[in-house]
Every structure is written in structure tokens, then in C-alpha cells.
Amino acid sequence: MKFFIDTANLKQIKEYQELGILDGVTTNPSLLAKEGAEPIEQLKKICEIVKGPVSGEVIGLTTEEMVKEARELIKIGSNIVVKIPFTKEGIKAVKILEPEGIKTNVTLVFSQNQVLLAAKAGASYISPFIGRLMDSGQNEIDMLKETMQIIEKYKFKSEIIAASIRNARHVIESAKMGVHIATIPFDVLEKMFKHPRTEEGIKSFLNDWEKLQKQLKL
Ligand code: G3P
């Protein structure tokens, strides 16, 4: 399973890049706005840190605007993936961009039908927003399961990104069903690392070790 980090924060990206477990980054307009920096410059900096795919999203709503923006975005770096919102206009943009060799990530996907349509359009990546589905009271795990069945049954080239991840359990559930990628917020990655029993164990091993050292000196 590939791990992307869902953030535009350079410090957070660097930290996980240095750990050596980062395969890519996803951003969106809200995440970039949170950083308060000029978005293109920020994406450039992210592309310098991470060699894997870095998603930057288009703002335009028409196919023409999206295609124009995408052709500009890819100038930032060879690893830029263009995030396209799931709309009819967006799907038309995917059909134009993918044959040009521009990788797209269809975003704001909330149903299996949308997955099927984005896969048929030839998107490189498709991002079901499982956390937001859960927030609205729908079964996000079943949605993801059926998404994977559809993709695998027809051997679509699209890679599924479990997005809008809310907790560490979401990552486990995604991994169990073979979801290609999870894009994980920093706080969830931190929770995946921590377990109170690990900390407890380290402390007691060190205590016992110190006791032994004292005994041996006597
Ligand atoms: O990659 C999807 C993400 O950016 C949206 O997540 O947490 O705003 O639902 P969230």
C-alpha cells in the first residue's frame, strides 16, 4: 500500500519524507489556503521535497478552464498530478488530459457510480472521500469495498486513493481491501505510530536494564 500525506504543510511533509515512508502528497485549495503561501510556489517547494506524485487541484469549473490550468500546473514539476473535481466538465477534462500524458486525480468522489465513470474516462487516480461520507451517515467502508471490486473486476488502470481519512482505523480497513493508496492527514499518521503499550514497554525494559547495571557494580 502506498502512503500519501494529505497536507500542504512543508514541515509535516519533510518529517514523513525523512522517515522514508512517504510515496506522495495530496493537496487541495483549502489545504493550500491554510498555509497562507502563494499556492504555485508552495507546490514547487513540495515537489522539491517529494519525488512521488504531488496532487494540485484546478479551480476552474469548465472543461476549458480545467485543461488550461492543468497545462500550467504540470510546469511546476514532472511529478505533478492534476486534481479534477468529479463533474461532467471534469470528466471531459480527464479525457483530454490523460491522452496528453497529464496524470489526473478525480476528486470529491462519493459514490460507486462516480468511481466507475472516472475509471472509464481513464483517470490515473480516483479519490473517494470516505471521511466525508462517514460524516454524512453513509457506510464509507462498503463504498470503498465495492469501489475496489469494480476496479479489480475490469482491471481498470486507475489507482484508488482512500481520501478524507478521519482515523487510523480507516487506514487499516483500506489496507485490508487492497486499496492502492491512502492519503493520510498528519495527525492520523502520528496516531498510527503511537501505542501506549510500546512506550510502557520501552520504559520498563530501561528500568530493568538500569537495575541490572546497579547490581553488577556492587
Ligand atoms: O484528500 C482529501 C482531503 O483533502 C479532504 O479531506 O478531511 O477535508 O474531508 P477532508
Side-chain angles (χ1 to χ4, degrees):
M1 182 186 223
K2 283 181 253 179
F3 279 180
F4 289 2
I5 190 166
D6 195 33
T7 184
N9 182 282
L10 300 179
K11 195 168 163 271
Q12 294 179 350
I13 295 168
K14 267 188 207 141
E15 186 172 336
Y16 274 87
Q17 172 64 21
E18 279 163 18
L19 273 170
I21 59 155
L22 206 58
D23 300 296
V25 177
T26 52
T27 69
N28 62 36
S30 304
L31 290 172
L32 282 162
K34 211 166 136 187
E35 297 311 310
E38 202 286 313
I40 300 292
E41 287 310 311
Q42 192 75 356
L43 283 169
K44 254 185 212 156
K45 287 181 186 158
I46 297 173
C47 287
E48 279 160 19
I49 304 169
V50 178
K51 294 289 151 258
V54 173
S55 288
E57 190 159 339
V58 296
I59 303 300
L61 296 176
T62 66
T63 303
E64 206 186 354
E65 285 164 349
M66 291 184 204
V67 168
K68 197 170 163 225
E69 271 182 73
R71 289 179 183 147
E72 284 305 310
L73 278 171
I74 58 152
K75 291 180 187 161
I76 295 172
S78 56
N79 50 342
I80 280 285
V81 171
V82 182
K83 249 186 174 183
I84 306 273
F86 184 92
T87 56
K88 280 186 182 169
E89 291 295 299
I91 289 302
K92 280 195 259 171
V94 171
K95 293 285 294 177
I96 295 169
L97 295 168
E98 287 283 344
E100 286 180 16
I102 298 177
K103 286 195 165 31
T104 60
N105 172 1
V106 176
T107 187
L108 289 162
V109 167
F110 292 94
S111 76
Q112 297 86 319
N113 280 314
Q114 291 178 328
V115 168
L116 185 53
L117 290 162
K120 269 193 76 69
S124 293
Y125 303 95
I126 303 172
S127 295
F129 272 31
I130 60 170
R132 292 192 192 190
L133 260 182
M134 183 187 79
D135 295 345
S136 60
Q138 284 173 270
N139 191 326
E140 78 284 17
I141 304 302
D142 283 354
M143 188 269 174
L144 206 52
K145 224 175 256 168
E146 289 186 17
T147 286
M148 290 314 292
Q149 283 169 3
I150 292 165
I151 294 294
E152 282 162 5
K153 195 123 204 149
Y154 290 99
K155 298 185 173 58
F156 281 118
K157 72 157 193 176
S158 314
E159 286 189 83
I160 299 300
I161 306 181
S164 177
I165 282 181
R166 291 276 180 273
N167 52 55
R169 190 76 217 164
H170 273 159
V171 182
I172 298 173
E173 293 298 338
S174 304
K176 270 165 53 185
M177 56 182 96
V179 174
H180 309 101
I181 302 155
T183 189
I184 314 171
F186 181 79
D187 65 312
V188 176
L189 280 166
E190 290 287 281
K191 284 182 187 131
M192 287 168 69
F193 261 93
K194 284 188 187 134
H195 198 288
R197 299 303 303 266
T198 305
E199 281 147 36
E200 232 175 80
I202 292 173
K203 220 177 186 176
S204 75
F205 286 159
L206 285 178
N207 274 342
D208 293 342
W209 191 254
E210 274 165 28
K211 272 186 219 155
L212 174 68
Q213 301 306 305
K214 277 182 195 154
Q215 274 171 23
L216 292 176
K217 272 179 202 157
L218 285 174

